[in-house]
């Protein structure tokens, strides 16, 4: 199937100045970013040529599905640097052009993407990510596509978190590896929307693995999982977590890019289902002082073809040299990537507030008090050998977080970093002196400290790229300064009566 772009200027007629289809593009854009399509060119001229796009099978499938299922709106999704989901809806008639040319928009209107002087950006859908949104109904439905961000000349936008992860995955591929991740996502269900000054109220008072037949949690998890699986997102487990109203839903293993896309979809589905049940879902790391925080324990492995690169029969814990070097990299650079995996002021209330969150850089076999855990080996299942990073927030930007963890691990492999002895003791039960004597370092104790460490990190500058690295530091330093100037309720209650 061959399509050609509209005449110069025609696509822009009647469109918003902030959202439009580009009316022309360079040959380099077409040749590099069609995602499997082919190019035929004709015509002459110093700057422009006429392009004819041959559609790939995945794109053709999406367009046919949209037509057959009478989908009336397609939401094009992407994230900003902090991980907030952004969306622009297009009509089915515009989708073919979006695949071919992308949709232009004002990047300067989204914080962190680009400067006003370089405002024009292109959002280009990834056909492999198409799904219908089931909560919008079957008749005249709505679909969604994740997108890549491009500059006007068709180059990947350096501010695109998805591109940051793709760049890290490309490095892993150059070394012969594919990176897989399986997240355990925790969150709280609250009774009402937050009102300034009011304390959050959980929907129940149940605890870990409790069966709650009279509560809302069971029905909520069931409807949420049904919605996720309708969208092709497989769920392994779900249960009530340790805090009142706290839930956990675990997504099945997938490659890291698919997993990051699934996490963004998951968050929206959870919030939509919570709204339908008349409650509020929050991924805030630590909403309650005396209850566990919400993390996103991430199980990960590297594969070489169909072989698990972390598995070595007969090795300690069945762990290969590659796996040991990867863990060593995670530990060596843990303090440097923590600002990304735990990017909010509130994140450090979780890390240093107890409730099974790791606060010290350590690893152990089947030790849930360690930062990195090597789960118990399953006999005759070498493919299941993996490691678990337990510090990651449920509210992190998954693209940046997984890019950072992957690059730290690959650095350990490249430099053949040696893995120190694992922690067999309960790290939470040790004194500070005992931890230091064992060679452990504390994770940053505040966002401000984490940013100071990140700023000096060559690894994080390389992983994120200059644009994302600089914006992230600037934005988060502003958040930290805003927090530091606040007078808290704790200070008023403690000091106002006596000082």
């Amino acid at each position: 199937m061959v399509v050609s772009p509209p005449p110069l200027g025609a696509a822009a007629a009647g469109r918003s100045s902030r959202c439009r289809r580009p009316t022309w593009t360079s040959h380099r854009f077409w040749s590099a970013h069609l995602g499997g399509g082919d190019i035929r060119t004709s015509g002459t001229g110093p700057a422009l040529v006429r392009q004819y796009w041959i559609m790939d099978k995945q794109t053709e499938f999406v367009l046919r599905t949209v037509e057959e299922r009478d989908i009336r709106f397609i939401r094009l999704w992407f994230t900003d640097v902090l991980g907030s989901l952004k969306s622009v809806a297009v009509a089915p008639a515009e989708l073919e052009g979006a695949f071919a040319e992308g949709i232009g928009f004002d990047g300067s209107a989204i914080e962190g993407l680009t400067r006003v002087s370089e405002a024009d950006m292109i959002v280009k859908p990834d056909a492999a990510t198409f799904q219908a949104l089931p909560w919008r109904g079957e008749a005249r439905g709505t679909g969604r596509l994740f997108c890549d961000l491009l500059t006007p000349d068709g180059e990947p936008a350096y501010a695109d978190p998805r591109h940051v992860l793709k760049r890290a995955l490309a490095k892993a591929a150059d070394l012969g590896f594919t990176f897989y991740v399986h997240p355990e996502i925790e969150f709280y269900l609250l009774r009402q929307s937050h009102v300034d000054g009011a304390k959050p109220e959980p929907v129940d008072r149940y605890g870990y693995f409790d069966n709650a037949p009279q509560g809302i949690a069971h029905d909520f998890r069931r409807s949420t999982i049904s919605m996720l699986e309708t969208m092709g997102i497989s769920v392994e487990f779900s249960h009530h977590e340790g805090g009142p109203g706290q839930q956990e839903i675990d997504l099945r293993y997938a490659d890291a890019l698919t997993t990051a896309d699934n996490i963004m979809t998951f968050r929206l589905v959870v919030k939509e289902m919570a709204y339908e049940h008349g409650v509020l879902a929050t991924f805030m790391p630590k909403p309650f002082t005396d209850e566990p925080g919400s993390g996103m324990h991430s199980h990960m492995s590297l594969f070489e073809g169909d072989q698990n690169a972390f598995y070595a029969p007969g090795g300690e814990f069945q762990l290969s040299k590659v796996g040991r070097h990867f863990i060593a990299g995670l530990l060596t650079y843990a303090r440097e990537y923590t600002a990304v995996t735990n990017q909010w002021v509130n994140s450090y209330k979780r890390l240093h507030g107890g409730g099974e969150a790791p606060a010290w850089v350590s690893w152990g076999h089947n030790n849930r008090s360690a930062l990195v855990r090597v789960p118990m080996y399953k006999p005759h299942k070498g493919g299941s050998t993996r490691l678990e990073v337990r510090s990651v927030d449920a509210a992190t930007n998954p693209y940046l977080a997984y890019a950072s963890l992957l690059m730290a691990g690959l650095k350990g492999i490249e430099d053949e970093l040696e893995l120190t002895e694992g922690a067999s003791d309960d790290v939470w039960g040790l004194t500070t002196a005992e931890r230091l004597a064992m060679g452990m370092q504390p994770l940053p104790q505040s966002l401000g400290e984490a940013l100071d460490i990140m700023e000096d990190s060559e690894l994080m500058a390389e992983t994120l790229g200059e644009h994302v690295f600089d914006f992230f530091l600037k934005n988060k330093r502003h958040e930290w300064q805003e927090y530091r100037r606040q007078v808290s309720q704790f200070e008023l209650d403690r000091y106002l009566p006596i000082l």
Side-chain angles (χ1 to χ4, degrees), residues 361 434-441:
V361 180
E434 288 172 330
R435 296 177 186 125
L436 292 173
M438 295 173 67
M440 297 182 193
Q441 288 184 300

Side-chain angles (χ1 to χ4, degrees), residues 88-142:
V88 57
V90 298
E94 300 295 318
L95 184 56
E96 193 169 295
F99 280 128
E101 301 174 316
I103 298 291
F105 72 101
D106 179 4
S108 67
I110 296 177
E111 192 175 22
L113 287 193
T114 188
R115 295 172 293 188
V116 174
S117 58
E118 303 167 341
D120 288 345
M121 296 188 76
I122 295 169
V123 57
K124 189 167 186 294
D126 180 348
T129 66
F130 175 79
Q131 284 291 343
L133 300 181
W135 66 86
R136 303 303 296 177
E138 289 292 330
R140 299 187 175 185
T142 300

